[in-house]
Amino acid sequence: MPAPCIACGHEAAAPLLDLGDIPASGVFLESPDQAPATVRLAYAFCPVCGLIRQRGAPAETAYAGADRATARRQFAYVHDLLRRTAALAPPGDGLVLDVGANDGAFLDLAARAGYRRRLGVEPSRACAAACAARGHAVVAAPLDRDTAAGIRREHGPAAIVFCRHTIEHVADPLGLLEAAAACLAPDGLLVLETPHAAWPVAGLRVHELWQEHLFVFHPANLARLLDRAGLAVVAAEAYRHDGTFDQVFWARPGLAARPDTPPAFLEACRALGGRFAAFAAGLRHRAAGWPRPVAAMGAAHVQAHFLLFTGLGAVVDHILDDDPRKRGRWLPVPRPVPVIGTAEGIARAPATLLETAFAYPDWTRQVREGLGSAAVAVDPYAGVAWDPDGAGRKP
Ligand SMILES: [Zn+2]
């Protein structure tokens, strides 16, 4: 018997999407003969509030041993996020926590904004060390009830808890929010940032679903979950940025309304399997006419998933990526495709360029210009119309 929905308590879940057995993300092969480890990836959604969660009993990634201190870029909207935060909780000597502080890049920005007492909370030992090396105080642990109590004892209540791109990764999002609430002063502020569910569900960016995302939130069910943790939403924003669609909530201790999820979003969840299958079939049909060889851009999990879920991995001859940990290896999509650097990729003169560098438009332009008119450029999402529904505006 599945556990009830953590946001609304509804007992039954409905299937959202079954992506089958796929190579584990982040796995690069040393040779094309190697067989990658696989994981089962499937999602369900709550038919009442639309909360999306991974099916089965997915294990939370063991971040303690993970080393990816350079993995997260700071998007341009982070400055708007800090500006709006400062309007609600002005810089000064109040304690500022960054939960999932990674390498401390965001704490650098908080320092520059004038927040003088800062503390990173980061479960990855390697990231915590990188954060400390940048001069920030760090607690090298996940944020849970015990960590929260320890922080309060040692540092006092927090004026702000930032929790950016962390809640979707944890097995107990309510526990994380309760721990964040336990850190806050009575007039403290939680700043919560997470991917917006409309991006995969309405925008068909299904590649954003991956094994490390255990939950995907719509603003309505996130507000309900915050309420369950004793936090009331005071402001919310959706940020459309290159290749992403994120949402930010500002919340304070207190009780608030529990908004209903728009019926159109629930309908989009029900329709997603069929819509994505038709989208992928259309791409495969077009791919049959693409001149070879075909190069795709990027070897991160989003591109691997895009190639796997659409089936386009079968027609790609090279994948461009300049990351030295990926270049020279093979990415299983699911057949092994060699990963080569940008310069080599341009030199090999692919006849079709698959524009899958979703978050990197400048890189896409650079490669397209390098290839000139010799290659056909394909933007797979050109012409995908969508309504973010619930985000409040069309991106
Ligand atoms: Zn629910």
Side-chain angles (χ1 to χ4, degrees):
M1 176 122 166
C5 173
I6 58 165
C8 76
H10 186 69
E11 296 279 346
L16 180 79
L17 207 54
D18 187 346
L19 300 158
D21 292 307
I22 57 165
S25 79
V27 171
F28 292 85
L29 310 180
E30 297 295 335
S31 90
D33 311 320
Q34 229 180 313
T38 60
V39 293
R40 181 63 180 248
L41 192 62
Y43 286 84
F45 72 102
C46 171
V48 173
C49 77
L51 178 66
I52 294 168
R53 63 169 174 77
Q54 222 178 100
R55 295 185 81 168
E60 195 174 307
T61 300
Y63 291 105
D67 178 10
R68 56 178 89 161
T70 56
R72 269 198 63 75
R73 288 192 304 156
Q74 301 296 334
F75 286 117
Y77 66 71
V78 79
H79 301 291
D80 187 66
L81 180 153
L82 277 167
R83 187 182 56 74
R84 293 190 59 170
T85 301
L88 293 164
D93 287 322
L95 177 67
V96 171
L97 300 184
D98 186 14
V99 177
N102 204 291
D103 63 356
F106 180 72
L107 282 175
D108 286 353
L109 296 178
R112 237 172 282 157
Y115 294 101
R116 288 188 284 272
R117 280 178 68 217
R118 302 171 307 276
L119 181 64
V121 182
E122 172 52 56
S124 155
R125 287 186 295 269
C127 290
C131 187
R134 293 170 98 122
H136 304 295
V138 189
V139 175
L143 183 67
D144 56 20
R145 194 188 305 237
D146 292 342
T147 308
I151 289 171
R152 264 196 101 106
R153 263 198 313 276
E154 197 171 332
H155 302 274
I160 308 177
V161 174
F162 288 103
C163 185
R164 306 181 54 229
H165 291 276
T166 299
I167 192 169
E168 66 272 19
H169 292 263
V170 303
D172 180 11
L174 180 58
L176 178 71
L177 292 180
E178 286 169 343
C183 291
L184 284 174
D187 61 345
L189 183 71
L190 172 69
V191 184
L192 181 67
E193 180 179 342
T194 187
H196 194 304
W199 192 229
V201 170
L204 292 182
R205 270 66 172 190
V206 164
H207 51 265
E208 293 280 335
L209 302 173
W210 66 308
Q211 67 195 66
E212 292 191 16
H213 283 186
L214 307 186
F215 293 88
V216 190
F217 300 93
H218 182 278
N221 52 48
L222 192 51
R224 278 178 180 244
L225 197 64
L226 283 160
D227 179 69
R228 284 196 69 185
L231 294 161
V233 177
V234 294
E237 185 61 86
Y239 289 104
R240 174 81 173 84
H241 190 69
D242 298 325
T244 72
F245 189 43
D246 292 325
Q247 56 187 326
V248 179
F249 277 76
W250 290 264
R252 293 194 193 278
L255 295 176
R258 298 180 162 204
D260 287 331
T261 300
F265 178 78
L266 300 174
E267 181 50 41
C269 285
R270 280 189 284 273
L272 178 61
R275 272 187 77 212
F276 186 74
F279 169 71
L283 280 174
R284 289 194 302 273
H285 179 75
R286 285 168 60 198
W290 293 342
R292 305 290 286 259
V294 177
M297 297 185 64
H301 74 267
V302 286
Q303 288 90 14
H305 281 177
F306 174 80
L307 296 174
L308 285 164
F309 301 163
T310 57
L312 288 184
V315 304
V316 172
D317 299 287
H318 299 108
I319 294 171
L320 277 48
D321 200 304
D322 292 309
D323 185 335
R325 289 168 299 184
K326 301 169 185 171
R327 209 173 52 203
R329 296 194 164 95
W330 280 260
L331 184 67
V333 287
R335 73 186 179 92
V337 175
V339 180
I340 60 178
T342 300
E344 189 187 346
I346 291 172
R348 289 201 190 186
T352 299
L353 177 68
L354 191 51
E355 294 182 351
T356 44
F358 302 115
Y360 299 87
D362 293 344
W363 183 36
T364 303
R365 261 190 302 278
Q366 177 206 337
V367 174
R368 209 192 290 137
E369 282 165 19
L371 292 172
S373 55
V376 178
V378 177
D379 172 359
Y381 283 96
V384 174
W386 68 292
D387 176 356
D389 179 50
R393 61 193 162 82
K394 210 178 171 78

